[in-house]
Amino acid sequence: MAEKKVIQGEDIIVLVDSKTTLHATTHNLKVDLELKELRTKDTNGKEQSPGDISWSVDGDGLVVVDDSIEDSHTSEDVLGIVLSKKLVDVVIKSPLSGLSKTYHGKAYITSFSLGAPAGDNATYNYSLTGSGNLSPQDATQQQS
């Protein structure tokens, strides 16, 4: 019998243009299916039909300056992407074995917020809004 394992939040990461966000604390993926209402003169009630899918990712992190860490976006980088209106590549994945899918898509960073409370850590959060499909890819396809 297979052993169950609860996946921890730090086991799932989001990459933006092949880089993680530095000192991320949370990521939230949201996928919505639009339902289209179908109603005709000869039906008793409303029926639903699937329409478009939209997706987004919200992320939070600590504002940290650490020149020793490569391959990560700083909060300043994330703000720069918003200001440049750049379409970015997004990958949602886990480095754990047994999680066989990653999800790929294109998105815009549509919001950025910086929190700097007195006596506490500076934090930032951002939202990515998908542009097009969020597509699953098997781990075996990723190797090629």
Side-chain angles (χ1 to χ4, degrees):
M1 184 174 337
E3 185 178 325
K4 293 180 185 178
K5 177 176 168 98
V6 175
I7 305 303
Q8 299 298 302
E10 53 272 7
D11 294 331
I12 298 174
I13 59 174
V14 174
L15 301 175
V16 175
D17 282 346
S18 302
K19 293 182 175 184
T20 61
T21 51
L22 187 61
H23 294 286
T25 56
T26 62
H27 290 111
N28 296 299
L29 169 65
K30 182 178 181 190
V31 179
D32 291 311
L33 171 64
E34 173 189 331
L35 292 177
K36 296 182 179 185
E37 190 174 291
L38 300 174
R39 179 153 183 172
T40 64
K41 293 180 181 184
D42 56 345
T43 59
N44 291 325
K46 299 175 185 175
E47 294 181 21
Q48 303 294 323
S49 174
D52 294 332
I53 291 178
S54 61
W55 61 277
S56 62
V57 175
D58 294 322
D60 300 299
L62 297 175
V63 177
V64 176
V65 176
D66 189 346
D67 294 333
S68 68
I69 298 177
E70 296 180 17
D71 297 328
S72 291
H73 289 294
T74 65
S75 55
E76 199 171 356
D77 296 337
V78 174
L79 176 56
I81 293 169
V82 176
L83 295 174
S84 70
K85 302 177 185 178
K86 181 182 178 198
L87 184 65
V88 296
D89 292 312
V90 177
V91 177
I92 302 159
K93 70 176 193 168
S94 175
L96 295 178
S97 62
L99 294 176
S100 60
K101 299 246 187 249
T102 62
Y103 295 86
H104 298 255
K106 299 263 188 196
Y108 289 97
I109 300 179
T110 52
S111 71
F112 176 87
S113 177
L114 177 67
D120 205 350
N121 297 327
T123 60
Y124 68 97
N125 59 53
Y126 62 92
S127 294
L128 292 156
T129 301
S131 180
N133 293 336
L134 181 65
S135 304
Q137 185 177 18
D138 289 326
T140 54
Q141 294 173 321
Q142 297 169 38
Q143 306 300 327
S144 42

